[in-house]
Amino acid sequence: MKARKLLMIPGPIEFEPEVMQSMATPTPGHVDPNFIESFGKALELMKSVWLCPAGQAFIIAGTGTLAMDIAGSNLIETGDNALVISTGYFGERYAELLKRYGANVDILRAPLGDVVPFDQIEAQLKKKNYKLMTFTHVDTSTAVLNDAKLFGKLGQKYEVLTILDGVCSVAGEEIRQEEWGIDVVLTASQKAIGVPPGLALLVASQKAIKAFENRKTPVGNYYCDWTNWLPVMKAYENRTPSYFGTPAVNLILALETSLKLILKEGMDKRFKRHLQAGKAFRSAIKALGLNMIPVNEKVSANTLSAPYYPERVTGGELLGGISKEGIIIAGGLLSEIKAKYFRVGHMGSVNRSDLLATVGAIESGLRVCNYSFNSGVGLKACQDILNDPA
Ligand SMILES: *Cc1c(COP(=O)(O)O)cnc(C)c1O
């Protein structure tokens, strides 16, 4: 019997075997001609996955938080006004980060499980001049989905640079960076991109690069500074060697593999598949009688779900029961309600069998906790959507 458990947390996710094979390639030097080709190709493929052909891609060793730091430090100078739209844990993180670089930060906070109303954001943009605005596409602490297209529109209308924290959405939720006019879309390797942790990934619009070039003061973070990284990215795109910091060679080989697999599936198909997985999983949770943090379907993420524990069911007992069934899911993250809910990632390579196995394990876990429900209702609801997505 297979001993390995299925990892259904919101990152790291389950990775494709081809990606893991790339990780096991004997490590080439960072100026090896074959590696230069892979690095250059990965940068190009990113722009296709991001749907931002005119953008500038960056691949830098680090986590998703580094990607946030890179965008923040390069675009903020002391005294700049920044607006953070917060739908949970990662919005608060962005506000703290921008303050370190001297930004005057205003935060608009959404009620738990909801988004900040559009009118409220627009009123704030009318009231004050901002250099940039950040928002979390999918906040991994609440599973709330923001309307990215709308933010792009607002940014264009009020001439504010927009930064989309897409760590839990890029290559899962629909993003059309160029068409929607979003200036920076950032993520990390271990989520829907499908590569082990260790790469900060972002694509910046030419407008964002220009804003960086027009800075009057040096970037307040040496490792993040685009002055160091832009020539490196451009060199690899032109298939010439360059160096600032040693690239994470094997991770970049794995990234090239994963991006190829993503584009082979096709972005439209991939967005639709995630939409269907999200819908099917939420349908199962609802059928089991559990509530979720997002207040309605429109603001529900498709890359992960965040259900509340039913009354008299404790996290330890339920997650333990689910783990016994061979599925790993995550506990809560938002401090105010941490012990009241759990999180299930369903992004990247997740397939129908994974979804059904997870719903089945949740049913088994609930049974162990003496929660009363009709056996199989979750599985049926999930399967009904998977069989008839329309
Ligand atoms: C995971 C995540 C991050 C942080 O990424 P790390 O790789 O853990 O630093 C930031 N934002 C969102 C939305 C995330 O889901």
Side-chain angles (χ1 to χ4, degrees), residues 1 21 27 68 91 122 157 211 231 244 285 291 302 307 332 344 362:
M1 192 178 86
Q21 273 157 21
T27 304
M68 297 167 75
E122 184 154 38
K157 184 169 173 194
F244 169 62
I285 292 297
N291 295 318
N302 298 297
V344 178
I362 292 172

Side-chain angles (χ1 to χ4, degrees), residues 63-65 68 90 93 136 138-140 165 167-168 188 190-191:
T63 77
T65 307
M68 297 167 75
F90 289 105
R93 175 172 292 189
T136 317
V138 169
D139 201 297
T140 322
D165 173 354
V167 182
C168 203
Q190 77 274 18
K191 300 204 185 168

Side-chain angles (χ1 to χ4, degrees), residues 2-7 14 320 322-328:
K2 282 190 282 183
R4 180 173 155 69
K5 294 188 179 186
L6 191 66
L7 193 57
E14 290 276 323
I322 294 170
S323 172
K324 266 205 196 108
E325 293 293 313
I327 311 279
I328 312 273

Side-chain angles (χ1 to χ4, degrees), residues 270-296:
R270 194 171 172 93
F271 297 147
K272 211 179 261 170
R273 176 167 65 77
H274 279 82
L275 208 67
Q276 189 184 341
K279 232 164 108 181
F281 191 81
R282 289 193 298 277
S283 173
I285 292 297
K286 275 181 228 160
L288 288 167
L290 274 58
N291 295 318
M292 281 174 283
I293 295 182
V295 294
N296 60 46

